[in-house]
Amino acid sequence: MNELLRYFSRELPAINDFLETEADQLNGLVKEVAKHIIGSGGKRIRPMLTLLFARAHGYEKDDYHAIACSLELLHSATLLHDDYLDDAELRRGKEASHLKFGRTETILAGDALLALANEMGARYGNARLSWLLAKGIMETAVGEIEEIQFSKNPELDRERYMEIIIGKTARLIECACRCGAALAGATPEEEDLAGEYGLNLGIAFQLVDDALDYASPTSETGKPEGGDLKEGKVTLPLILLMEDSNEAESRELLDALKTTDLEEERFEAILGRVKEGRYSEKTREEAAMYVEKAKRCLDGFTPGEEVEVLKQAADFVLTRTK
Amino acid sequence: MNELLRYFSRELPAINDFLETEADQLNGLVKEVAKHIIGSGGKRIRPMLTLLFARAHGYEKDDYHAIACSLELLHSATLLHDDYLDDAELRRGKEASHLKFGRTETILAGDALLALANEMGARYGNARLSWLLAKGIMETAVGEIEEIQFSKNPELDRERYMEIIIGKTARLIECACRCGAALAGATPEEEDLAGEYGLNLGIAFQLVDDALDYASPTSETGKPEGGDLKEGKVTLPLILLMEDSNEAESRELLDALKTTDLEEERFEAILGRVKEGRYSEKTREEAAMYVEKAKRCLDGFTPGEEVEVLKQAADFVLTRTK
């Protein structure tokens, strides 16, 4: 992981500075909200992927920040609206924006960040970049809606679950990778490979996120263990448990998921069954398949620092504990 | 006004069909919200302006709907978020979306319409169009924020008021006109003239809107007379009244505006002073100046049906009663 860490520590400061400078230019009513969500410690995986694919395709200029950071801002915009609509109390271990700043400030900050992201992507006068970004914004909006619409359905199946995580997470990561390739003027085939890497990485990323929810102490993720279950959100660990349950167990589980205020005892019992069946680990194993798929997309690339970092990034997605 | 009416009745059906078809493809959770706001009888002034300026610059193709309608959808998106944040009860005389469909549906429908608008503008692979749209979205977001931030400040002055109405209304109308010119491949100078027409028309449009609020029965506008005053929103008629008041009257007016639940008697007294001073009419006179400015932008255009309609549209903005 040496190359990955070295690359990130070399490139992240400029990305963070750029995000900070852009946020500083927002209107006073929403600036603090934007800075709060941007500063709350995201992994900057989207801007880094744009940069990595631009460089991997031979792009040498230093004007990549606007398009790279646009995807981070778009992501932040959806977090603001999602947390508000979910009545979430925490985001990355900090007080959620709508509680700290108010609903008007939070919704408008989401709108402003989305608009800013879009404007940043348009700065290049590159129709392909604008198109990719517009498509990414559209897919993210649809994914956000489908998540809210379906993810709390106790009868969610694996197919719909995959649709949800692709829409809410993987498409934007795909978009980040495609934007890097497009900025460098890659061929459509090269851009497609970058996109496929991103799509698979994004799926793995969300699978691991959903696995961590059942297997990681609060202090690491900033979220309480079993938080998804408590919210009635169905993710792969629960779907796997459901698939392995007999009829009586299924009925009991469905019933528990439909209960809005789940008692501690039943909650712990379900957590226990998820642990016993190793469903969090099995979710990670599923993620590992997607990580392999992502890495295979890099096979045809000329070896170099960026390709090495992209491989290590894929592995890191799998091994991260928060 | 014959040309205007003939042109609108010829072109509006296709624009409305296009909007309907696009809205029909949205996700089920937000589709009805989108159709409700789109179907609530907007004037479609933005799409018509895009079409008119495209044709005025010699554009003959029929693929203008996506870019023209994108601005209508963007406008609808801001209405959804604004009405929710304002706790508005009515929109164009109908029940506001958040009351009819719920807050989650309404906020997400706004996000989806914004994303769709952006995607529609990117369909042409025309970097200039994407840039104009991105700028329009950004300016509208800023305008929306500034309106919420400042328009209920009793001490709002004329300069800030102009900034607000430019941001919340005129910039998007400018954008609609520029997009038409850009679609037709107009020169930068031609696009600037189209934009200047739009900016002035947009200012006039909002001034008349603010005048109507003090001078039009509910049945025509769908909004109760003096609605802005009731909400504590300061617009030009009140600013003019303030400018003409002596110190004691000013104090009384400021005090009334700061009162959240204004008693009927004081409310009627202020309405009476606005009527007596003809401040609604004076606001219209101000609008007339901007209409003249807008029309002068058309001086260099080759005469033709579209230029005639654009002139009549400018006059119509001034004479409309709802």
Side-chain angles (χ1 to χ4, degrees):
Chain A
M1 295 280 161
N2 273 341
E3 284 82 357
L4 176 69
L5 292 175
R6 205 179 315 129
Y7 204 92
F8 268 62
S9 57
R10 190 177 78 212
E11 303 291 348
L12 268 183
I15 285 176
N16 284 328
D17 283 355
F18 192 90
L19 287 167
E20 179 93 9
T21 306
E22 289 293 335
D24 264 329
Q25 284 157 32
L26 290 172
N27 173 293
L29 188 71
V30 299
K31 183 167 31 182
E32 294 311 314
V33 191
K35 293 179 78 162
H36 179 73
I37 188 84
I38 291 168
S40 68
K43 299 163 199 78
R44 314 293 188 228
I45 189 167
R46 294 162 196 80
M48 287 304 293
L49 287 170
T50 304
L51 168 60
L52 284 161
F53 274 104
R55 294 278 190 251
H57 287 98
Y59 195 71
E60 290 180 355
K61 288 205 274 178
D62 272 331
D63 65 352
Y64 61 86
H65 290 104
I67 183 66
C69 292
S70 73
L71 300 165
E72 184 74 14
L73 294 186
L74 176 54
H75 175 61
S76 300
T78 62
L79 294 182
L80 289 174
H81 285 189
D82 279 352
D83 285 348
Y84 171 64
L85 294 176
D86 262 2
D87 293 317
E89 290 177 10
L90 294 174
R91 163 61 57 190
R92 296 171 185 154
K94 292 192 189 176
E95 190 179 11
S97 295
H98 57 104
L99 299 178
K100 191 172 166 85
F101 300 100
R103 74 168 190 173
T104 298
E105 290 75 3
T106 299
I107 306 246
L108 291 177
D111 291 351
L113 284 177
L114 177 59
L116 177 59
N118 198 39
E119 186 268 324
M120 279 160 53
R123 287 180 197 169
Y124 299 84
N126 177 332
R128 179 73 192 159
L129 279 186
S130 288
W131 190 83
L132 284 171
L133 191 56
K135 195 159 165 279
I137 291 174
M138 187 69 200
E139 288 171 337
T140 302
V142 171
E144 191 183 0
I145 292 165
E146 290 192 338
E147 193 197 7
I148 289 182
Q149 190 176 22
F150 298 118
S151 75
K152 294 192 180 171
N153 179 354
E155 279 154 77
L156 188 80
D157 63 15
R158 194 192 277 242
E159 200 180 340
R160 177 70 85 179
Y161 167 78
M162 289 304 293
E163 268 176 47
I164 291 174
I165 69 172
I166 287 173
K168 82 167 191 175
T169 304
R171 287 289 176 206
L172 195 57
I173 292 182
E174 174 187 350
C175 180
C177 298
R178 282 184 181 272
C179 283
L183 181 67
T187 65
E189 294 72 27
E190 289 171 333
E191 194 201 289
D192 283 346
L193 276 176
E196 211 184 313
Y197 169 93
L199 184 68
N200 285 298
L201 187 80
I203 293 171
F205 184 86
Q206 189 59 50
L207 286 170
V208 171
D209 226 49
D210 292 344
L212 280 172
D213 195 75
Y214 285 93
S216 184
T218 306
S219 59
E220 288 208 52
T221 58
K223 287 178 278 193
E225 193 187 23
D228 286 343
L229 173 59
K230 219 160 224 162
E231 285 178 33
K233 232 167 100 181
V234 180
T235 59
L236 193 58
L238 275 194
I239 292 171
L240 294 174
L241 168 61
M242 187 72 86
E243 287 175 358
D244 285 350
S245 296
N246 61 35
E247 210 178 308
E249 290 168 336
S250 284
R251 242 196 329 270
E252 150 66 17
L253 187 57
L254 274 176
D255 185 61
L257 284 166
K258 280 174 186 154
T259 308
T260 43
D261 231 340
L262 196 60
E263 315 90 81
E264 200 56 27
E265 200 180 326
R266 287 171 84 193
F267 171 75
E268 291 294 343
I270 297 173
L271 272 194
R273 288 177 63 200
V274 171
K275 278 198 178 140
E276 201 183 321
R278 302 185 62 257
Y279 296 115
S280 170
E281 290 81 350
K282 285 174 182 164
T283 298
R284 264 181 198 275
E285 285 159 22
E286 197 107 344
M289 283 169 28
Y290 287 97
V291 163
E292 284 314 306
K293 272 196 195 178
K295 281 158 70 181
R296 275 205 301 278
C297 297
L298 304 171
D299 283 349
F301 281 66
T302 319
E305 187 183 13
E306 277 78 16
V307 175
E308 187 53 37
V309 173
L310 285 166
K311 282 183 192 161
Q312 292 188 3
D315 287 328
F316 178 71
V317 159
L318 205 59
T319 52
R320 72 193 173 95
T321 55
K322 62 174 181 177
Chain B
M1 295 281 163
N2 272 341
E3 284 82 356
L4 177 70
L5 291 176
R6 207 180 313 129
Y7 204 92
F8 268 61
S9 57
R10 190 177 78 212
E11 304 290 347
L12 268 183
I15 285 176
N16 284 327
D17 283 355
F18 191 89
L19 286 167
E20 179 93 10
T21 306
E22 289 292 334
D24 265 328
Q25 284 157 33
L26 289 172
N27 173 292
L29 187 71
V30 298
K31 183 168 30 183
E32 295 312 315
V33 191
K35 293 178 76 163
H36 180 73
I37 188 84
I38 291 168
S40 68
K43 300 163 198 80
R44 313 292 187 230
I45 190 167
R46 294 162 196 81
M48 288 304 293
L49 287 171
T50 304
L51 168 61
L52 285 161
F53 274 104
R55 293 278 189 253
H57 287 97
Y59 195 72
E60 291 182 353
K61 288 206 274 177
D62 273 330
D63 63 353
Y64 60 85
H65 291 102
I67 183 67
C69 292
S70 72
L71 300 165
E72 184 74 15
L73 294 186
L74 176 55
H75 175 61
S76 300
T78 61
L79 294 183
L80 289 175
H81 285 189
D82 279 352
D83 285 348
Y84 171 65
L85 294 177
D86 261 1
D87 293 317
E89 290 176 11
L90 294 174
R91 164 60 57 189
R92 296 169 185 155
K94 291 190 188 177
E95 191 180 11
S97 294
H98 57 105
L99 299 177
K100 192 174 165 85
F101 299 100
R103 74 166 189 174
T104 299
E105 290 75 3
T106 299
I107 305 242
L108 291 177
D111 292 350
L113 284 177
L114 177 58
L116 176 59
N118 198 40
E119 186 269 324
M120 279 161 53
R123 287 182 197 168
Y124 299 83
N126 178 332
R128 179 74 192 158
L129 279 186
S130 289
W131 189 84
L132 284 171
L133 192 56
K135 193 159 166 280
I137 292 175
M138 187 70 200
E139 288 171 337
T140 303
V142 172
E144 193 183 0
I145 292 166
E146 290 191 338
E147 192 198 8
I148 289 183
Q149 189 177 22
F150 299 118
S151 74
K152 293 190 179 171
N153 179 353
E155 280 155 75
L156 189 79
D157 62 15
R158 194 192 277 240
E159 198 181 340
R160 177 70 87 176
Y161 166 78
M162 288 305 292
E163 267 177 48
I164 291 176
I165 71 172
I166 287 173
K168 80 167 194 177
T169 304
R171 287 288 175 206
L172 195 57
I173 292 182
E174 174 187 351
C175 181
C177 299
R178 282 185 182 271
C179 283
L183 180 67
T187 65
E189 293 73 25
E190 288 171 333
E191 195 202 288
D192 283 346
L193 276 177
E196 209 184 315
Y197 169 94
L199 184 68
N200 285 298
L201 187 78
I203 294 171
F205 184 86
Q206 189 59 51
L207 286 170
V208 171
D209 227 49
D210 292 343
L212 280 172
D213 194 76
Y214 285 93
S216 184
T218 307
S219 60
E220 289 207 51
T221 58
K223 288 178 276 193
E225 192 187 23
D228 286 343
L229 172 59
K230 220 161 225 161
E231 285 178 34
K233 232 166 100 179
V234 180
T235 60
L236 193 58
L238 275 195
I239 292 171
L240 293 174
L241 167 60
M242 187 73 84
E243 287 175 358
D244 285 350
S245 296
N246 62 35
E247 210 177 308
E249 289 167 336
S250 283
R251 240 196 330 269
E252 149 67 17
L253 187 56
L254 274 176
D255 185 61
L257 284 166
K258 281 175 185 154
T259 308
T260 44
D261 230 342
L262 198 59
E263 315 90 82
E264 201 56 27
E265 201 179 324
R266 286 171 84 192
F267 171 75
E268 292 293 343
I270 297 173
L271 273 193
R273 288 177 62 201
V274 171
K275 281 201 177 137
E276 201 183 320
R278 301 186 63 259
Y279 296 116
S280 169
E281 290 80 351
K282 285 175 182 162
T283 298
R284 265 181 197 276
E285 285 159 22
E286 195 107 346
M289 282 168 29
Y290 287 98
V291 163
E292 284 315 306
K293 272 196 194 179
K295 281 158 70 179
R296 275 204 301 278
C297 296
L298 303 170
D299 283 349
F301 281 65
T302 318
E305 188 184 13
E306 277 78 17
V307 175
E308 187 53 36
V309 173
L310 284 166
K311 283 183 192 160
Q312 293 188 2
D315 287 329
F316 178 71
V317 158
L318 205 60
T319 53
R320 72 193 173 95
T321 55
K322 62 173 180 176

